[in-house]
Amino acid sequence: MRKHNFSAGPSILAPEVFQKASEAIINFEGSGLSVIEISHRSKEFLRVIERARALALEIAGLGDEYEALYLHGGASTQFLMVPYNLLQTKAAYIDTGTWASKAQKEAALFGETDVIASSKADGYKYIPKGVTVPTDADYLHITTNNTIYGTEYHHLPETRVPLVADMSSDIFSRPLDYSKFGLIYAGSQKNLGASGSTLVMVKKELLGKVTRKLPSMMDYQLHIKNDSLYNTPATFAIYVNLLVLEWIQAQGGLKALGLCNKTKADLLYNEIDRNPLTIGYANKEDRSLMNVVFNLTDESTQERFDALCKEADISGIKGHRSVGGYRASIYNALPLESVEVLVEVLKEFERRG
Ligand SMILES: *Cc1c(COP(=O)(O)O)cnc(C)c1O
């Protein structure tokens, strides 16, 4: 029996993805070889990475002005790779949480960073609105979904400078005008697959403008020139990525996933709001559809709640160490049924008092 996996990341993937990935480890598409033991320059793997790069852009609805890359080092390496390639004099950052703040800290090594808004003083419970973006900034960086606090942008900030987004925890979870972004990055391990690869989608015209010299592995243009194969990429992780992208398409794309994610989130938030024993963390209008963060109104009841979760085979629901409480991550691949089980547990928790 599988558990109900609410882990924040690495996190749940669709059963079809696990099935196909495990078959490919033994015998990749009937080749007599494992997907892990073939050359990244073999025609079999070239097909994988080409399809994955093309499909990522297709799902995002992005055209030829963009390139998709699969790079190493997680979203955390993008925190520095973005300023390496885009920050000439000054960049604007909106501070909506730990990850956003870490991104800004890295960028400060490369030039001036202007933190134009922050919700830190209020425990990152909301997304700052009505921000004014300096027109002389090289770009504006945002974190579209704040995994730890459970907030998400439902309206993008108005900006004339290129918009750069860390979408690690909400990429491909809803319809979105991706063409509003100059650069998007996401570590794979939440909505895209296994850990080890990072998807970057970048508008080519933004590159090649900084005057600093770039180390090869940090240079987006070099990776583009080498078809995302400058060095050995994370082959297995990219294969899993492709399976996830194909699964997204089979579900009906972002529109269908967006509806499903909304249904799951509404169900859970409604119960958290209704139940006198639980309270949501983030401000309502900024609530994340991916990470539902909540607390118990009486902390002394924690052990009882944990026991009920365990009994129901619920896993990975403990809150981030910096916030405490609980966090139910309800990514694309988490079935509605798992949310229903959690809602039932919350009701039972109330009944038992
Ligand atoms: C998980 C997460 C990260 C960290 O990603 P790594 O791949 O571990 O570097 C960064 N940003 C956000 C929004 C995340 O959710």
Side-chain angles (χ1 to χ4, degrees), residues 73-76 79 99 143 145 147 166 168-169 187 189-190:
S76 300
F79 295 168
W99 297 119
T143 309
N145 184 72
T147 325
D166 176 358
S168 292
S169 51
Q189 66 272 21
K190 282 133 189 175

Side-chain angles (χ1 to χ4, degrees), residues 218-256:
M218 292 292 111
D219 184 350
Y220 291 127
Q221 282 187 313
L222 188 76
H223 286 290
I224 291 172
K225 213 164 86 200
N226 287 277
D227 298 323
S228 204
L229 290 160
Y230 175 71
N231 77 323
T232 316
T235 52
F236 181 64
I238 293 168
Y239 178 64
V240 177
N241 228 288
L242 173 62
L243 296 176
V244 170
L245 296 174
E246 288 173 344
W247 175 83
I248 289 173
Q249 278 211 317
Q251 302 310 298
L254 301 189
K255 200 160 169 224

Side-chain angles (χ1 to χ4, degrees), residues 96-240:
T96 50
T98 306
W99 297 119
S101 152
K102 283 187 171 171
Q104 180 268 328
K105 190 169 148 246
E106 298 297 295
L109 300 172
F110 296 83
E112 190 187 338
T113 54
D114 193 351
V115 180
I116 59 171
S118 172
S119 49
K120 185 175 184 179
D122 198 18
Y124 292 123
K125 286 184 176 172
Y126 70 96
I127 300 287
K129 320 276 184 323
V131 294
T132 306
V133 185
T135 50
D136 61 342
D138 295 317
Y139 61 86
L140 166 66
H141 181 283
I142 63 168
T143 309
T144 50
N145 184 72
N146 299 279
T147 325
I148 296 172
Y149 310 90
T151 62
E152 189 171 21
Y153 280 84
H154 298 293
H155 306 282
L156 295 175
E158 290 292 329
T159 170
R160 291 203 202 163
V161 306
L163 185 57
V164 173
D166 176 358
M167 282 196 199
S168 292
S169 51
D170 70 342
I171 191 159
F172 296 157
S173 63
R174 54 180 174 167
L176 193 65
D177 185 357
Y178 281 84
S179 71
K180 289 218 160 122
F181 298 88
L183 190 148
I184 295 153
Y185 61 89
S188 285
Q189 66 272 21
K190 282 133 189 175
N191 257 335
L192 287 177
S195 61
S197 73
T198 311
L199 174 64
V200 175
M201 296 188 285
V202 59
K203 201 171 194 175
K204 283 177 279 190
E205 67 178 29
L206 300 180
L207 301 175
K209 292 187 176 166
V210 291
T211 50
R212 73 173 59 85
K213 290 198 166 35
L214 300 173
S216 304
M217 282 295 283
M218 292 292 111
D219 184 350
Y220 291 127
Q221 282 187 313
L222 188 76
H223 286 290
I224 291 172
K225 213 164 86 200
N226 287 277
D227 298 323
S228 204
L229 290 160
Y230 175 71
N231 77 323
T232 316
T235 52
F236 181 64
I238 293 168
Y239 178 64
V240 177

Side-chain angles (χ1 to χ4, degrees), residues 13 23 35 85 88 193 211 219 231 317:
L13 299 175
E23 283 163 13
V35 68
N85 286 265
Q88 184 62 39
T211 50
D219 184 350
N231 77 323
I317 202 184

